[in-house]
Amino acid sequence: MTDTLRTLIFDQSSCRAHLVHLSKAWQQVVNNNDYPRPVQKVLGELVAASTMLSASLKFEGSLIIQIQGDGPIRLLVAECNSRLGLRATVKLVEGTQIPENASFKDLVNTTGKGICAIILDPRNRLPGQAPYQGIVPLAGTSVADSLEAYMHSSEQLETRLVLNSDATTAAGVMLQQMPQHGGVVSSKEFDADGWDRLKALINTLQTEEHLATETDELAKRLFWEEDPDGLAERQAHFECTCSRDKVGKMLLSLGQAELDDALSENPTVEIQCDFCNANYSFTRADCNALFTESSHHEGPQEPQPPTLH
Ligand SMILES: [Zn+2]
């Protein structure tokens, strides 16, 4: 079982491709929660996409894709940091029944009010500094469609994505057009048909073959005639960044009154991590200590789910 990411450069076409094939890391996400199959499929596609988008950026920190849905899925989150540590979670509307054949639109965009946000959270964010966040209305009938539309409207970057997932594997290919006049390729050498040709190649990919084929083998099968330059293969892994310290900051932001309320009913406040199921328990004394310490150091807050204004 491998979790690999491979980047290919097509110099003459001014394009770049990322291929990702996740098994162990994806299975850890799957095993942490018992999501209905259509939900799991959409989440796997989002995880594959977040890994490739994170790898495509020169950025130290976490890339977070959030889809806020208006259907049975309230929130989909896939996060991948610059070390390719990934985690993901879903919030479903309580008590909802999800049919086996539910489509992407059925799940997150039933009335057209779904939104897609990409957040870049720098590793060493200064106190008070807000993470970069781009938000667009949800467009398209799949995760791939929606992210292509996001990249087009928010980043002005032509992107083509093929995403697939099942219970054991999440896989993706991402093709991106790079700026053509960076001085690397002269206009004489520039292959104007390259983008269309590469798009056509990845469009031939069938789900079954995609899920069953490791990145290197797939790169060979798809692009052997294109002779791309390959960058070193990278390994992805499951990594949850939750900590008692971060949960403490979240409790602080709820305020003393709310915590007092919770503690009047139970001897401790129990918080479970949505991503890895780790449990954090705070007694009254722990909570009091949070408020005493908070006057000494104000840390940055965790990013909140985005809203459209
Ligand atoms: Zn966690």
Side-chain angles (χ1 to χ4, degrees), residues 240 242 273 276:
C240 194
C242 69
C273 175
C276 72

